[in-house]
Amino acid sequence: MKVPGKIFWRILLVVYLAAVAYICFASQGDLPNFDNWPFKIPADKVVHFVMFLPWPILACLSVLPVGAARTRKTVIVMMLMTLTGCALAGATEWIQGLLPYRSRDILDFIADCLGLLSGALLFAAFYPFLRRSGTR
């Protein structure tokens, strides 16, 4: 599978971060409501999981050389990006607790971290199959 160059992934990462910031800090009235959610897991926890799942993938693709063999350095970068995502998730929850129209929730943070871990595992599983597209 051919993948675009780092510039593409860096632009996508910035757009993704802007979308996450909007979702995390927007007023509750501006966000969709899931009143009739039929599943046992609360809808907002699923949203948190899905919202943070792309972070390790996009962050790693924006800094790692695509097509290179998985080395100790790439594993360290993947771990650092996942930990950075956890810090980002923690910061967003902390800031939400300071906003009058949002609340801090440890279960949201856990859902964020599970999404980050899942994204990192997906990236680790598929990284060896990525090839350079020739564009940088």
Side-chain angles (χ1 to χ4, degrees):
M1 173 175 160
K2 292 190 176 193
V3 236
K6 287 182 186 178
I7 301 243
F8 171 81
W9 295 113
R10 288 175 181 168
I11 291 169
L12 195 57
L13 180 64
V14 169
V15 170
Y16 161 78
L17 286 172
V20 167
Y22 175 75
I23 293 168
C24 287
F25 304 126
S27 169
Q28 294 290 338
D30 296 338
L31 301 173
N33 193 352
F34 297 98
D35 286 334
N36 298 324
W37 181 256
F39 306 106
K40 294 220 182 243
I41 299 173
D44 72 312
K45 304 311 177 235
V46 174
V47 169
H48 278 268
F49 177 89
V50 170
M51 184 170 55
F52 279 87
L53 187 132
W55 165 261
I57 298 166
L58 295 175
C60 288
L61 286 172
S62 68
V63 297
L64 287 175
V66 174
R70 189 175 1 192
T71 62
R72 184 174 168 200
K73 178 185 173 188
T74 59
V75 172
I76 290 170
V77 167
M78 284 188 260
M79 289 170 54
L80 285 174
M81 290 302 176
T82 305
L83 290 174
T84 302
C86 287
L88 178 67
T92 60
E93 283 303 315
W94 183 262
I95 293 169
Q96 283 179 356
L98 300 175
L99 299 173
Y101 52 88
R102 298 300 299 253
S103 63
R104 190 177 301 140
D105 185 355
I106 189 69
L107 295 177
D108 287 349
F109 176 70
I110 291 170
D112 296 342
C113 291
L114 288 173
L116 288 160
L117 182 59
S118 298
L121 292 174
L122 278 171
F123 182 78
F126 289 102
Y127 181 72
F129 301 105
L130 301 177
R131 284 186 239 127
R132 282 186 205 168
S133 66
T135 58
R136 288 280 168 195

